[in-house]
């Protein structure tokens, strides 16, 4: 017997592919449903071997709290960057920082780098080949160690708890 997992490895992705196909062709004819459904089944079957393993979330409520924290930080950082830019008499102190990572999994490192880049005023510029440090550019840095500690406490440790425990 064929199990659903063997012919439909990612049901949510298949549904999204079907919806996107129907939106692209702008038709809801039966033939488009058949073609879109076929593509929605075949594409994940052909590509799922190339995907990384899905991470398991150890603490889902902490993930929700992390998401809300990041959203709040994005809003706050937008106001801070707007203030810095709108005051021409203030001299900015842009700086590149070598941030040592405690995370080990590629997925969580990617989440951390994305979080840093989403927050206005900071951009993750490079991940070292050994995966031990992240190069971050910050718009205005008064204390490099304080920024490293802030990123570690606000983003990296919660990600480690949520995904890597």
């Amino acid at each position: 017997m064929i199990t659903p997992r063997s012919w439909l490895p990612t049901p949510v992705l298949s549904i999204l592919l079907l919806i996107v196909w129907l939106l692209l062709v702008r038709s809801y004819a039966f033939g488009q449903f058949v073609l879109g459904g076929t593509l929605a089944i075949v594409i994940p079957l052909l590509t799922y071997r190339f995907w990384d393993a899905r991470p398991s979330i150890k603490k889902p409520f902490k993930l929700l709290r992390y998401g809300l924290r990041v959203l709040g930080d994005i809003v706050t950082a937008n106001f801070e960057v707007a203030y810095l830019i709108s005051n021409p008499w203030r001299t900015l102190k842009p700086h590149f920082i070598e941030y040592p990572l405690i995370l080990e999994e590629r997925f969580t490192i990617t989440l951390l780098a994305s979080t840093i880049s989403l927050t206005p005023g900071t951009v993750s510029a490079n991940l070292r080949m050994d995966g031990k440090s992240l190069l971050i550019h910050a718009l205005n840095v008064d204390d490099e160690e304080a920024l490293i500690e802030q990123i570690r406490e606000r983003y990296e440790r919660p990600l480690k708890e949520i995904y890597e425990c």
Side-chain angles (χ1 to χ4, degrees), residues 97 101 142 145 147:
I97 298 167
L101 292 168
D142 291 324
E145 290 301 318
L147 180 62

Side-chain angles (χ1 to χ4, degrees), residues 88-119:
W89 60 88
R90 243 186 102 102
T91 56
L92 297 177
K93 299 174 206 146
H95 195 66
F96 278 99
I97 298 167
E98 189 78 25
Y99 180 80
L101 292 168
I102 59 174
L103 295 173
E104 297 170 3
E105 298 292 324
R106 290 187 326 176
F107 179 77
T108 51
I109 292 171
T110 303
L111 276 178
L112 177 64
S114 298
T115 300
I116 290 168
S117 294
L118 278 173
T119 308

Side-chain angles (χ1 to χ4, degrees), residues 46-109:
L46 293 176
T47 61
Y48 81 95
R49 289 180 207 90
F50 304 112
W51 302 343
D52 286 338
R54 286 187 232 155
S56 60
I57 298 172
K58 309 284 193 254
K59 299 180 179 178
F61 292 111
K62 286 199 177 205
L63 178 61
L64 178 65
R65 192 169 71 191
Y66 176 78
L68 293 174
R69 174 182 291 163
V70 170
L71 285 175
D73 287 350
I74 289 171
V75 171
T76 304
N78 272 308
F79 285 115
E80 290 173 1
V81 169
Y83 175 75
L84 289 171
I85 292 172
S86 65
N87 293 318
W89 60 88
R90 243 186 102 102
T91 56
L92 297 177
K93 299 174 206 146
H95 195 66
F96 278 99
I97 298 167
E98 189 78 25
Y99 180 80
L101 292 168
I102 59 174
L103 295 173
E104 297 170 3
E105 298 292 324
R106 290 187 326 176
F107 179 77
T108 51
I109 292 171

